[in-house]
Amino acid sequence: MRPLFGTLLMVLTGVAAALVIGFYPAFLTSTVAEDDEQLGFHDKIVIQFSHVVAENTPKGLAAQDFARRVKEKAGGRIKVEVFPNGVLYNETNEVEALMNGEIQMIAPALSNISERVPAWQLFDLPYAFLSEKAVDEAFHGEIGRLLNAKLEDEHMVGLTFWSNGFKHMTSNRGPIVHPGDLSGQRFRVLPSRVIEAQFSLLGASVIPIPFNNTYQAMETGMVDGGENTVSNIHSKKFYEVQKHMTLTAHAYLGYAVLVNEAFWKGIPSHEQSLIREALEETSAWANRNAQEMNASQLRELERYKGIRIHRQTAEERLEWIKAMEPLYRDFEGVIGTELMNQVRALQTKYGGG
């Protein structure tokens, strides 16, 4: 029996070996399921994207859209992690955090960039851009090129611009119809020398306060009023703590999408192209969406009984433009003659000169 058993065992072993050898190529070509969470740190590019506004604002929605598009295009090779509402950094420290490599990507208000790159203050000049078309031409033309070039000295790369629309004024002290109506008011502003000079010129006391602390400041009376876009006034419910709003459209609130220079240079060119492609698509959608949101939410505010809205007339607008003229002379040396000439050309083209 033993010789027969041994022979049978050898035959079975041989058959098993043959089966394994026969199917070996299939083992090599079979699909292996990948767990994204198990990919090593060096197998994936992770971009931490910090911003300070709510997720339902134009910028918040744009950041989410960008993250989704990158995921679709890169198939998990690039991951964008979005941190909204200033949970990581606020207006006062997000630019420095980017420069130091503590965060990879931010989308600060243009005013916040001007603290490190003074030429960016041109976007804070009141009535510098008189329409969405003028802003779009500035972003994508010579003004945008000149401003992005100045970021390189601060170890940042400008990738694109996002819109939030024009700013308007709100107050608890009364309607703001004429420039003199600001006299004596305490106004919340972004930390910008141009903005501070603008309201000081008209007799207001300026108080720089982080965006996410503004509601409380208005509610407690720390400030009488402030300036912001319709979408920000709506999303942060400033209309609950402000009695008057004037549609001044006196300045533009936009965002520059910035990335840390060293981090960006470390990304392979193919992945850089995917990121730029996703941003281009997001920007086209987001800028249209910002205009639609501001228009829709303004209609909602007009139905709200707690705030009275005044629409600035053409005559009133000219009165404000004339009152702000000294700022252009005061800041030309800081912003630069070349950029100021570009702004004046756009004003002339779109009806301001």
Side-chain angles (χ1 to χ4, degrees), residues 1-10:
M1 291 293 293
R2 284 187 178 180
L4 179 61
F5 178 77
T7 301
L8 181 61
L9 182 61
M10 290 179 63

Side-chain angles (χ1 to χ4, degrees), residues 110-111 113-114 117-129 134-135 138-139 142-148 150 161 192 194-195 198 250-252 327-328 331-332 334-344 346-347:
L110 305 177
S111 302
I113 302 172
S114 68
V117 187
W120 282 71
Q121 292 178 95
L122 75 87
F123 279 109
D124 291 331
L125 287 170
Y127 301 103
F129 305 101
V135 172
F139 280 167
E142 186 66 6
I143 288 176
R145 187 191 69 78
L146 291 169
L147 290 175
N148 279 333
K150 293 180 181 296
F161 296 94
S192 160
V194 172
I195 297 176
Q198 166 189 333
H250 61 281
Y252 195 78
L327 293 175
Y328 285 77
F331 283 92
E332 180 162 357
V334 176
I335 293 171
T337 302
E338 184 177 8
L339 280 165
M340 291 294 280
N341 286 340
Q342 292 286 332
V343 169
R344 292 187 181 101
L346 286 179
Q347 288 175 323

Side-chain angles (χ1 to χ4, degrees), residues 48 89 95-104 155 260 262-263:
Q48 292 186 318
Y89 301 98
V95 174
E96 185 175 357
L98 183 79
M99 292 168 58
N100 294 336
E102 297 164 11
I103 194 74
Q104 289 79 51
H155 310 296
N260 175 271
F263 175 79

Side-chain angles (χ1 to χ4, degrees), residues 33-40 44 71 75-79:
E34 286 189 343
D35 182 354
D36 181 64
E37 296 300 322
Q38 297 302 314
L39 291 173
K44 180 168 57 177
K71 183 177 181 180
R77 174 80 176 92
I78 308 171
K79 184 177 183 180

Side-chain angles (χ1 to χ4, degrees), residues 36-79:
D36 181 64
E37 296 300 322
Q38 297 302 314
L39 291 173
F41 176 80
H42 295 291
D43 298 323
K44 180 168 57 177
I45 298 169
V46 178
I47 302 173
Q48 292 186 318
F49 189 158
S50 173
H51 67 79
V52 304
V53 299
E55 293 171 287
N56 61 341
T57 59
K59 179 164 64 172
L61 293 170
Q64 295 173 65
D65 183 82
F66 168 59
R68 177 185 62 79
R69 291 179 192 271
V70 168
K71 183 177 181 180
E72 291 175 355
K73 292 178 181 296
R77 174 80 176 92
I78 308 171
K79 184 177 183 180

Side-chain angles (χ1 to χ4, degrees), residues 168-189:
H168 309 285
M169 298 183 195
T170 63
S171 175
N172 272 329
R173 288 274 295 272
I176 301 172
V177 179
H178 305 286
D181 294 335
L182 283 172
S183 180
Q185 294 211 31
R186 299 184 301 272
F187 239 60
R188 178 266 171 182
V189 298

